[in-house]
Amino acid sequence: MPLDDYIIAVFCLIDDLYSELKQKIKVRKAGYSPTVSDCELITMLLVGELLGLADNKKIWLYFKSNFLHFFPSLNHERYKIFNKQATNLWCVIGELHKVLLNSIGVWQHYLADGIPFPICHLARAKRSTLFKQYVAKHYCAAKNERYYGFKLLLVTSESGIPINYTLDAANIDERELLSQIDLPEGSSIIADKGFISKEFTAKLNRSSGVKLITPPRRNMYQQISARTSKMITTVRKRIETTISQLTECFNLNTTKARSIHGLIGRINRKILSYTTALFFNYQIVKDQFTKLELLIQG
């Protein structure tokens, strides 16, 4: 899809989602209408994230230099106002993602996995003041290293579409993070061995009616068949693909935010940008994950 066509497609989608969202909640309580509309700005943010422009100033300069014919009001928008408006839309972007998910489908099976979210090198942790009251040191078994920062627990659909996430200090148990995410009653969620706990599984089932499925450890008395174990491993690869694309293509771990709202806003828009790309990629090739990097051509 040519870049011009993709920008138009994203704007039309966001405009529809935004109109639907305004019927449910009041987006703006008071004040003048912005020079650049929310739909235009969100479109620039989402397309910019897909192009690898993770910085607000880079996005502002890129669209001001190349796409004033699409966004003429951007010519009168200073970067300071652009950046402030983008930051203030953190909650709206999160709500737009929920509206988009409602239009895609309904799921009963989910996947969950944790993502280490360092904010600085471990050697600078003692003198770092960024998010001081929210972060902690922890060990990441997957990378076999210690890091300083947050832990992000991502929940996706069975096909790997991001559904929800929660963010907390790195030393918080992943099971505690999972209990903070609302899932439909009667659904099931597949997680790795780090979530194994009879008490937590029973508590989750009692409180929300969600069934937790994990592969057993080799030294556990209760085992499952080789076929079931292989099925769990195969299905879990889908969330691993999602995490890989979010961290490598959308630079999920690189937000350059200096406030909690700014951090959440950056994460929200990266996830919405990724979900939007999956949505359009599925329309074109009928396989949401196939050659996502080739979605925009020309």
Side-chain angles (χ1 to χ4, degrees), residues 58-254:
K58 290 181 180 179
I59 295 175
W60 177 74
L61 287 171
Y62 178 79
F63 283 93
K64 192 170 185 177
S65 303
N66 299 283
F67 292 100
L68 278 180
H69 56 289
F70 281 162
F71 309 102
S73 54
L74 189 63
N75 195 36
H76 309 288
E77 181 91 315
R78 292 181 299 157
Y79 167 68
K80 184 178 180 180
I81 303 300
F82 180 92
N83 183 57
K84 184 176 181 180
Q85 184 181 352
T87 303
N88 290 339
L89 287 171
W90 68 275
C91 186
V92 173
I93 293 174
E95 293 298 323
L96 286 176
H97 184 252
K98 295 178 183 178
V99 178
L100 177 58
L101 291 176
N102 291 336
S103 66
I104 294 176
V106 180
W107 302 272
Q108 285 296 318
H109 306 289
Y110 300 89
L111 310 173
D113 203 356
I115 307 174
F117 205 101
I119 62 167
C120 71
H121 196 277
L122 190 61
R124 299 199 303 269
K126 288 186 178 180
R127 61 180 184 271
S128 174
T129 58
L130 187 62
F131 306 119
K132 192 71 176 179
Q133 65 271 37
Y134 302 107
V135 295
K137 294 180 182 179
H138 193 59
Y139 173 74
C140 177
K143 295 185 177 182
N144 191 25
E145 64 180 17
R146 292 182 62 81
Y147 72 97
Y148 176 75
F150 295 97
K151 180 183 293 180
L152 188 150
L153 181 72
L154 180 68
V155 174
T156 72
S157 68
E158 54 188 322
S159 60
I161 300 174
I163 300 297
N164 203 347
Y165 74 91
T166 185
L167 187 73
D168 213 325
N171 59 350
I172 301 298
D173 194 291
E174 289 181 335
R175 288 166 289 197
E176 184 176 338
L177 295 179
L178 181 59
S179 63
Q180 299 173 13
I181 294 181
D182 293 327
L183 293 174
E185 186 175 354
S187 59
S188 60
I189 184 164
I190 297 176
D192 59 21
K193 296 178 182 179
F195 290 81
I196 294 177
S197 170
K198 289 184 178 180
E199 294 78 10
F200 174 74
T201 301
K203 180 181 177 181
L204 187 66
N205 201 330
R206 287 195 307 268
S207 61
S208 57
V210 176
K211 181 181 180 182
L212 178 63
I213 302 173
T214 58
R217 295 190 177 93
R218 291 183 179 180
N219 60 351
M220 293 180 65
Y221 178 74
Q222 292 183 341
Q223 294 292 322
I224 58 177
S225 65
R227 181 179 178 181
T228 304
S229 179
K230 184 178 180 180
M231 182 272 293
I232 294 175
T233 303
T234 302
V235 171
R236 277 194 44 78
K237 288 182 179 179
R238 297 169 186 170
I239 191 172
E240 293 171 358
T241 299
T242 297
I243 292 175
S244 175
Q245 291 181 332
L246 280 171
T247 53
E248 295 176 11
C249 302
F250 289 81
N251 301 308
L252 181 66
N253 290 344
T254 307

